[in-house]
Amino acid sequence: MNIDADIDVPLKDPWASPPATPGPRPRHAAADRADRDPAESVACWPAPAGGTDLGGTDLGGTELGGTRLGGTETGPATIGDPGRAHAEVRPRLRLDPAQPPDTVADHGTAVSLEVRAASVRGLSHRDSGTPRQDAYGFALSADEQHLIVVVADGVSAGVLSHEAASFVGRRGPREVARHLDAGTPADQLPWPEIFTALAATILAEGARSLKRSDPVRYAEIPPAETEVAAAMATTATFLVCSTGPARGGDRDVHLAWMGDSPAWAIDPQTGWHILSEVKGAAAEVATSRVEALPRIPRDPLGLPVASHRVPDDWTLLVMTDGTGDPIGSAVGEVAERLAAWWRRPPPPLRFADQVGFGRRSYDDDRTVVAIWPSADREPG
Amino acid sequence: MPEQGILLPFYLVVDVSYSMLGDSLDAANKILPGVADALAKAPILADKVRFGLIDFSDDAQVVLPLSDMTGQDYLPKLTVRGGTDYGAAFRMLRAQLEQDVSQLRADGFKVHRPAVFFLSDGEPQTGWEADFTALTAYDKQTGQGFKWYPVFVPCGVADAGRETMRQLVHPYGKSKLYMMHSDADAADAIKAMAEVLISSVLASGQSAVDGNSGFVLPDKSQLPPTIDVDDDWLD
């Protein structure tokens, strides 16, 4: 979740505005790979043994301490000035097995789609030893015609928000699949009903969690819904896309969201396109207030949805604002670098490293689910 | 939307009139190293904080331009000179804020409203009010005034007058007045003001990390015994 900056800036249409800093990029640190042409990085990158490098993309690492092993640059991915925290924070080990792991990642194919996903604990949570509050989840409809993806960003203020995010990651995609399996077309999914059902799940599971955490207090009267909502809240952004065989053609993508976790697409030729909405773009005054489950708006039919028909070779990305904020309106070096990294699917663990890229002052949890057409042919 | 992240600019403005000579100045000269030490231990906050030092007597000077406090090999020292002209300090501040905030925004940072800690030990020369208004007045509706006005936190020690310092609290509700107890030692009170400043830097930085907005100042219960806080304003 983001801060409410006190200085009000009228925000322009991100597609209409030029980059904030025309001319040379500011340099805040020693020269690093951000100053290289991404194309050059791709060309320089030695092909790994076994030909497993699906994307052939840039490693995305900067040299920390100048280590080179076997001619391979090592060190975590960074973009621009990584700041001190990225190098100096000593993450506290997760000792409580009930808490989510520091980092989770997935990769694989779903019919004709190639998928990468990673959720990485932010530096501030690593520093304080508090849990990662982001989660993601997928499901495939029974007929395998649709892949359903969700990302969830637990609201910082709730001590159990990681649980709410986790519920959404586990239950959300299945709930959507249930409707598809019952014959509902993907463009007619009953999103208000789906969000309302998820809210009910969070309230029920959350009440149980609260009761477990304080059995004496809740011995007689179970926790009220407002107490559960104060203890756990999460954003949810769903993406439903056809699994193919849209090769060479277009792909239908449907989205619905509550809160500020954005969905983007990267066109290999023209770059970034927003599929949901850019945080703060509609508001003149930035606000830290986030819509989040289990609170459902009084008029759930007003919840935002979107449908797009996108070319098959575009990369689809659903993410939390830990990644969405540094991308901003996709005109700066973060967007440029991520587009270079994610034009094609990187090796799975490299993707997780890239999701956790170091950049000064960005210390929130990060989650990205990325979808490409399957790698058995050259996309684009 | 900026994509360089959040920055919280803090400025310390110190009175270096002759009356500060001695233990008071020594104590004031320990503030900057104190801030640097605190941030050295908190890399997450250090990535979000910029700090600048301005001194003033008959004129005002930028002693340390708004800086990333990490990797500063040399921290400048204050020396005394002349009288106490608040107007000079306010004019310099206005010019610096304008320049610094414009530059940071042009570089793509999302800049939080700056905070100014203003440390003085005496009554000023008359005629500062118009300069303070130019620094702090802003009408959001009409856009008249100084859009990037700071949260101005007056810290009075020794002979600083409570009534004068109270006029510098801006804006009401966000800022507070910190004053030395009349029986305290000025150097001890400056040390206490340094604690207020450092705890505000750390708490405000943490607030930004936690996704909240806002500048945080310690309340009465968190204060060292040599100073008190005046924050029970009636609107």
Side-chain angles (χ1 to χ4, degrees):
Chain A
M1 303 296 109
N2 205 1
I3 185 180
D4 177 6
D6 267 1
I7 292 174
D8 308 335
V9 197
L11 291 161
K12 292 178 187 157
D13 174 359
W15 298 109
S17 63
T21 317
R25 278 198 297 268
R27 297 173 77 101
H28 300 284
D32 73 286
R33 297 175 66 88
D35 297 317
R36 274 191 221 166
D37 183 341
E40 176 202 338
S41 307
V42 172
C44 290
W45 174 243
T52 52
D53 184 15
L54 290 165
T57 44
D58 179 17
L59 170 69
T62 192
E63 288 183 64
L64 289 180
T67 328
R68 291 181 78 90
L69 292 169
T72 303
E73 289 188 28
T74 60
T78 59
I79 300 178
D81 174 7
R84 272 182 53 206
H86 187 250
E88 293 179 25
V89 163
R90 299 279 167 266
R92 295 201 198 185
L93 190 63
R94 175 190 68 120
L95 298 169
D96 179 355
Q99 288 192 353
D102 178 90
T103 300
V104 290
D106 276 289
H107 64 105
T109 56
V111 192
S112 69
L113 301 176
E114 184 76 32
V115 179
R116 301 280 180 276
S119 184
V120 178
R121 185 160 62 142
L123 292 175
S124 61
H125 286 158
R126 284 177 172 169
D127 189 48
S128 60
T130 42
R132 172 172 52 85
Q133 294 175 311
D134 279 7
Y136 64 80
F138 336 100
L140 201 56
S141 60
D143 63 5
E144 301 197 341
Q145 292 295 304
H146 292 96
L147 175 70
I148 304 131
V149 168
V150 72
V151 302
D153 180 355
V155 173
S156 316
V159 288
L160 296 175
S161 283
H162 58 285
E163 291 190 13
S166 169
F167 292 146
V168 168
R170 286 205 309 269
R171 308 280 177 83
R174 269 167 35 202
E175 182 70 17
V176 177
R178 202 170 59 77
H179 287 278
L180 292 170
D181 295 347
T184 309
D187 60 352
Q188 291 172 33
L189 283 163
W191 291 110
E193 190 184 319
I194 291 164
F195 281 118
T196 306
L198 277 174
T201 301
I202 292 170
L203 288 173
E205 298 277 2
R208 276 195 278 278
S209 282
L210 274 184
K211 207 168 170 180
R212 267 199 306 277
S213 69
D214 196 347
V216 178
R217 180 172 170 196
Y218 297 114
E220 301 292 326
I221 306 159
E225 290 192 354
T226 49
E227 287 177 276
V228 178
M232 55 166 71
T234 182
T235 72
T237 297
F238 286 93
L239 180 148
V240 178
C241 80
S242 49
T243 54
R247 292 180 187 186
D250 293 334
R251 191 182 298 285
D252 284 322
V253 178
H254 306 285
L255 298 116
W257 62 94
M258 250 191 92
D260 57 9
S261 304
W264 287 92
I266 303 171
D267 171 359
Q269 270 76 47
T270 63
W272 292 78
H273 297 264
I274 187 77
L275 300 178
S276 56
E277 57 191 5
V278 175
K279 182 154 124 185
E284 186 150 311
V285 180
T287 173
S288 59
R289 194 183 139 72
V290 176
E291 287 193 333
L293 291 167
R295 288 190 192 282
I296 295 287
R298 204 162 286 165
D299 176 19
L301 293 172
L303 283 169
V305 296
S307 290
H308 304 272
R309 180 159 287 182
V310 300
D312 180 34
D313 62 344
W314 288 19
T315 309
L316 304 176
L317 302 164
V318 194
M319 62 186 71
T320 58
D321 68 351
T323 310
D325 283 355
I327 290 172
S329 45
V331 292
E333 64 179 335
V334 174
E336 185 187 341
R337 176 50 51 102
L338 294 180
W341 285 346
W342 296 343
R343 200 153 282 160
R344 288 186 283 176
L349 293 181
R350 191 178 301 167
F351 180 76
D353 178 49
Q354 290 167 342
V355 168
F357 67 82
R359 184 166 180 82
R360 185 186 175 113
S361 167
Y362 286 106
D363 44 36
D364 199 0
D365 297 337
R366 305 247 185 88
T367 298
V368 182
V369 178
I371 302 165
W372 295 265
S374 197
D376 56 3
R377 71 180 185 103
E378 282 294 298
Chain B
M1 186 171 172
E3 59 122 44
Q4 292 284 359
I6 298 159
L7 277 189
L8 288 76
F10 288 85
Y11 294 81
L12 172 64
V13 181
V14 181
D15 183 342
V16 289
S17 56
Y18 281 120
S19 54
M20 286 285 285
L21 191 62
D23 290 348
S24 288
L25 192 76
D26 291 347
N29 268 321
K30 289 186 177 129
I31 299 178
L32 212 50
V35 171
D37 279 355
L39 289 174
K41 290 174 197 143
I44 288 189
L45 307 185
D47 281 349
K48 294 186 193 306
V49 169
R50 295 278 167 99
F51 200 89
L53 177 63
I54 291 172
D55 73 9
F56 73 96
S57 63
D58 298 319
D59 61 352
Q61 294 174 5
V62 175
V63 182
L64 176 74
L66 193 66
S67 303
D68 176 350
M69 290 292 280
T70 61
Q72 291 278 338
D73 295 331
Y74 166 77
L75 291 173
K77 292 261 185 215
L78 299 162
T79 49
V80 294
R81 59 175 196 278
T84 307
D85 182 357
Y86 284 6
F90 301 154
R91 288 191 298 274
M92 172 64 84
L93 252 178
R94 173 109 162 49
Q96 277 308 116
L97 288 173
E98 183 104 51
Q99 181 188 317
D100 292 346
V101 175
S102 303
Q103 184 61 52
L104 291 170
R105 285 165 47 82
D107 288 348
F109 290 99
K110 187 171 181 179
V111 184
H112 201 277
R113 185 169 301 288
V116 171
F117 287 81
F118 182 83
L119 176 66
S120 177
D121 75 335
E123 281 291 296
Q125 299 161 24
T126 53
W128 52 267
E129 289 85 353
D131 291 313
F132 188 70
T133 302
L135 174 68
T136 54
Y138 178 61
D139 184 335
K140 208 168 180 175
Q141 265 69 47
T142 62
Q144 294 294 304
F146 186 39
K147 185 165 56 171
W148 300 331
Y149 69 85
V151 177
F152 199 95
V153 185
C155 305
V157 301
D159 297 328
R162 187 176 285 266
E163 284 316 307
T164 305
M165 297 299 272
R166 184 173 275 167
Q167 293 175 63
L168 304 182
V169 174
H170 185 86
Y172 280 8
K174 269 196 177 178
S175 179
K176 298 176 182 181
L177 165 62
Y178 294 92
M179 284 296 291
M180 179 179 101
H181 282 302
S182 51
D183 56 352
D185 173 69
D188 287 345
I190 291 171
K191 275 184 224 159
M193 298 300 181
E195 287 179 38
V196 167
L197 189 162
I198 290 166
S199 74
S200 170
V201 168
L202 297 181
S204 303
Q206 190 59 47
S207 167
V209 169
D210 293 342
N212 300 317
S213 73
F215 166 66
V216 184
L217 281 170
D219 62 25
K220 206 172 213 111
S221 67
Q222 299 161 292
L223 290 187
T226 45
I227 58 175
D228 67 41
V229 59
D230 204 351
D231 59 358
D232 51 347
W233 311 108
L234 297 175
D235 286 326

